[in-house]
Amino acid sequence: VVACPCALGLATPTVITVSSGQAAKRGWLFRGGDVIEIAASIKQIIFDKTGTLTIGRPLVVEISCSKQPGKMLQFAASLENNSRHPIAHAILQKAQEEEITLLKTINSKTIAGKGISGELINIEGIIRVGTPEWIKNEGALWNKDIDRHLEECTVNGHSLVAVAHNNDLLGFISIDDQLRNDANSSLQKLRKLGLSLNMLSGDRRQSVERLGMQLGFNSNQLGWQLLPEQKLKQIKKLQIDGPIAMVGDGINDAPSLAAAELGVAIGTGTQIAKDSADLVLLGDRLEALPEAILLARETMKKIKQNLTWAFGYNMIAIPLAAGVLLPKFGLLLSPPIAALLMAVSSITVVLNALSLRAT
């Protein structure tokens, strides 16, 4: 009567059920109980920059080094109309403000981490919109004056997009993104939880370093101008020091999200990022990340408490019911008391699990 396998059987699933329910109410979707366990064991977190630490709605702040800015913006916006990248949205928004008519695109091709190329109706040749380095490597005519102008444009840390028509460099579009209001406070909470933080981005060095300085990153915790495959290599290096979480929101982040022990997708990101992630944070709050990790740690703590109670109860109650104290002290549990203790053990485990609601 006194033996209570129910307590052992309830110790873990009740806590996982309550924890998953609490997470769902707050808009945090853990893809299984094992993900909660992984989240509790994370030692390092890697952040993508655009759309994760920033709001992901950048704006065009300058069009430079162009003799025909209207034509360049028309070409760029027409091509970027096929993309869902935040930078593409910024260029399209600028084109709408300028009331520029977009041209129909054919043979559009996206090169991950570099840019997009394609052809426009009634325009001969290939249009390319992307990183200055990629445009240069594709054969765009380049000289020292362009390099000098490029350096001047990057001093302020803005992201730069180059636009080329065949081998003719049309100019640069400077784009800036705003920091999330809760980015600083979220990172501070994560650091207080003892987590090591890194930021990897495909953006230029000046842009990444400027944001890193604002958010308290050390230089060795930053990575810039990284292609998706280079991000993967960085993740594998960091995994040597312990399990990591990758936080991202874009198509380029999907391979990294899948490779990390815990992939975290921000709810405002792309569908492929959500599909590749183990934890999806719905809404637009980065502070949900430290809160979710804290809930995962509290969940594991409750599971250990329940298992300790269930094992401890049986280790004490079963010998008592068997009469271990009867010869010397004359103590023996009666069946009614034994039944009551069995019920109390199960109730205690359930109540301990329900206490997660206060977390």
Side-chain angles (χ1 to χ4, degrees):
V1 174
V2 80
C4 190
C6 297
L8 287 172
L10 292 170
T12 299
T14 50
V15 177
I16 293 295
T17 300
V18 173
S19 178
S20 299
Q22 287 298 105
K25 287 180 181 178
R26 303 175 190 181
W28 315 333
L29 304 181
F30 288 98
R31 297 186 188 275
D34 57 328
V35 175
I36 296 178
E37 183 178 0
I38 293 171
S41 66
I42 289 299
K43 303 296 181 185
Q44 308 172 81
I45 299 181
I46 298 174
F47 289 92
D48 177 53
K49 172 180 168 287
T50 304
T52 304
L53 294 174
T54 61
I55 61 175
R57 293 188 292 272
L59 300 174
V60 173
V61 293
E62 185 182 5
I63 296 177
S64 58
C65 198
S66 175
K67 296 179 181 178
Q68 296 178 298
K71 176 182 176 182
M72 185 186 78
L73 185 58
Q74 183 186 45
F75 285 3
S78 299
L79 205 58
E80 292 286 12
N81 196 32
N82 300 292
S83 174
R84 295 187 62 188
H85 195 280
I87 286 179
H89 293 167
I91 295 174
L92 286 168
Q93 183 177 343
K94 182 65 175 177
Q96 289 175 355
E97 292 174 0
E98 300 290 335
E99 298 182 350
I100 291 177
T101 302
L102 301 185
L103 304 176
K104 186 176 180 180
T105 306
I106 55 175
N107 300 326
S108 175
K109 181 180 179 182
T110 299
I111 297 87
K114 296 181 179 179
I116 186 170
S117 65
E119 299 176 50
L120 301 177
I121 294 293
N122 299 326
I123 302 295
E124 294 184 1
I126 302 296
I127 307 297
R128 295 183 180 88
V129 182
T131 65
E133 292 76 16
W134 175 62
I135 296 293
K136 182 178 180 180
N137 292 336
E138 287 296 307
L141 298 177
W142 215 269
N143 56 47
K144 292 182 179 180
D145 291 335
I146 294 176
D147 281 328
R148 191 180 304 111
H149 183 81
L150 194 61
E151 291 178 7
E152 293 174 357
C153 290
T154 56
V155 170
N156 53 21
H158 295 162
S159 297
L160 273 182
V161 174
V163 182
H165 179 202
N166 290 328
N167 293 332
D168 184 20
L169 177 67
L170 300 181
F172 301 104
I173 301 175
S174 297
I175 297 173
D176 193 22
D177 199 358
Q178 295 179 346
L179 185 68
R180 283 182 182 267
N181 293 330
D182 60 350
N184 252 315
S185 59
S186 300
L187 297 188
Q188 289 175 6
K189 290 177 181 178
L190 291 170
R191 291 183 177 112
K192 286 181 180 178
L193 291 176
L195 295 165
S196 174
L197 307 181
N198 295 271
M199 179 171 67
L200 304 179
S201 176
D203 290 347
R204 298 180 64 80
R205 176 173 181 171
Q206 291 85 350
S207 177
V208 175
E209 287 185 334
R210 184 186 62 155
L211 185 66
M213 186 180 299
Q214 287 180 262
L215 296 175
F217 285 96
N218 296 326
S219 58
N220 62 343
Q221 296 174 321
L222 301 174
W224 49 82
Q225 292 179 252
L226 298 175
L227 299 175
E229 56 268 26
Q230 293 174 319
K231 286 185 180 181
L232 279 177
K233 290 182 180 179
Q234 291 288 338
I235 287 175
K236 290 179 181 178
K237 287 181 181 179
L238 292 170
Q239 283 174 325
I240 298 174
D241 299 325
I244 67 170
M246 172 69 193
V247 187
D249 78 321
I251 293 176
N252 292 343
D253 301 322
S256 299
L257 291 171
E261 281 80 4
L262 179 69
V264 183
I266 302 297
T268 53
T270 60
Q271 187 61 45
I272 190 171
K274 297 177 188 177
D275 292 342
S276 304
D278 305 298
L279 169 60
V280 178
L281 304 176
L282 300 178
D284 202 20
R285 291 180 61 249
L286 189 60
E287 284 184 335
L289 179 58
E291 293 170 1
I293 290 177
L294 185 60
L295 176 63
R297 290 185 177 183
E298 287 297 317
T299 299
M300 295 309 299
K301 183 179 177 181
K302 293 295 181 184
I303 289 175
K304 292 175 182 177
Q305 289 174 352
N306 278 358
L307 290 174
T308 300
W309 167 259
F311 276 111
Y313 161 81
N314 282 290
M315 289 176 64
I316 296 172
I318 291 176
L320 286 176
V324 69
L325 298 180
L326 182 60
K328 190 172 183 179
F329 300 99
L331 295 177
L332 181 67
L333 291 179
S334 65
I337 295 177
L340 179 63
L341 287 176
M342 184 196 70
V344 168
S345 179
S346 296
I347 292 171
T348 301
V349 167
V350 173
L351 289 177
N352 191 43
L354 291 175
S355 66
L356 265 178
R357 292 181 176 181
T359 302

